[in-house]
Amino acid sequence: MANADILGIESSCDETAAAVVRSGEQVVSNVVFSQIATHQEYGGVVPELASREHLRAIVPVVRQALKQAGQCYESIDAIAVTQGPGLAGALLVGISYAKALAFALQKPLIAVNHLEGHIHAVLLEEKQKGNRHIRVPVLALVVSGGHTHLYLARPLNAAASEPPRAGSEQSQGAWIYHNVGHTRDDAAGEAFDKVAKLLALGYPGGPIIERLAEHGKPQAVKFLPAQIKHRDRKHKQNATIQSLSFDFSYSGIKTAVLRYVETHNMKAPIEGRRRQLAAVPNPGTQDVLSICDQSTLDLVASFQWAVVEDLVGKTLSAAREYEVGTLFVTGGVAANRQLRRRFEEQSRREGLAVYFPSRVLSTDNAAMIAAAAYPKFLAKDFAAPQVSAEASLRLG
Ligand code: KG4
Ligand code: ZN
């Protein structure tokens, strides 16, 4: 079939994004407007402000994505939009706009699950590199500010443990997903954000903790395994795919950091840092680094180490259990270099292939939404006119 150019729209959290992707495999344009500056002073996303910012940004962002792609409204083949999960008010902005656009232009509308989008970011990246021979099933870790999920994933038309077929286009069709693990409380990215807020390091927490951790000792503070609860194999007596569970938990380590702060008299310096940073417009890494003592840097490096080791360890246990040949690691936290390094080292030891999206496609973007929509476009799986936002939409 001829190429299909899909306009993707994403507004599930604090990024207003639009992109044009050709036939699910070539990013033609990718525009992301981040609301970080709006939410920074609150240390987290404020839902009402997010909706207001999406309303302001959506039209210029879509126009820019079309312009960068050398396209106009009429020349695109379909419109894809994130249906959920996410903030209801934020999702509604993207969905209402996409619905109106599809109706006015008489183009098909495709509703996409945000989590499936993150998984397709990896497929998109690999197709762009010319890699079409991904061994299935895949174990996909989706790790972001709102989610820490493990999925067994494979193309709908592939057998459960089908090896790669030479020249096959197995990733063109629809994929199916089976959830084999999720967080019991906080998502990993949420823990990065909350610990950064607690230590007055700024928002979002992941990128700043990653940069500060380079200056600290990851073994300085030993977090106990019980502070990152391992609850895998809880139904081991019925060891079927349906009953096994590899769950995560990151609220304990956040509390452990708080205890550490209290018992090591760090509260006063933290409040001092909070005041100093409030006086700096858009503080950068050097601004924060210059007012962090060594014990804070060690604490941050130890926190990152503990979370990364837990994510890698849990994912590799699940990979062994389900005998997968390929790992996907995606979502905002997958931008973390330490996480990538440890996944690469540990996967190599186990003979597993591990793929990540580029850092740009790891965090929220609309290219992944347009890519995930392509199999639905081929299958004519279009959204009904009354489609609406689903804040708690599940995958698998
Ligand atoms: O996928 P994403 O952009 O939005 C959600 O779907 O949640 O992920 C955002 C999350 C935030 O919690 C942010 O702190 C985290 O990803 N993050 C990182 C890094 N970059 C973003 N966490 C650790 N290291 C990073 N470099
Ligand atoms: Zn996301």
Side-chain angles (χ1 to χ4, degrees), residues 195 199 201 209 212-213 295-305:
V195 164
L199 299 176
L201 303 174
I209 286 183
L212 296 179
S295 59
T296 302
L297 297 173
D298 289 346
L299 178 57
V300 155
S302 304
F303 162 79
Q304 176 176 273
W305 174 264

Side-chain angles (χ1 to χ4, degrees), residues 122 126 129 131 133-134 326-330 353-357:
V122 185
E126 290 309 307
K129 289 183 202 155
N131 175 11
H133 306 305
I134 289 166
T326 308
L327 295 179
F328 285 3
V329 184
T330 184
V354 59
Y355 301 115
F356 310 89

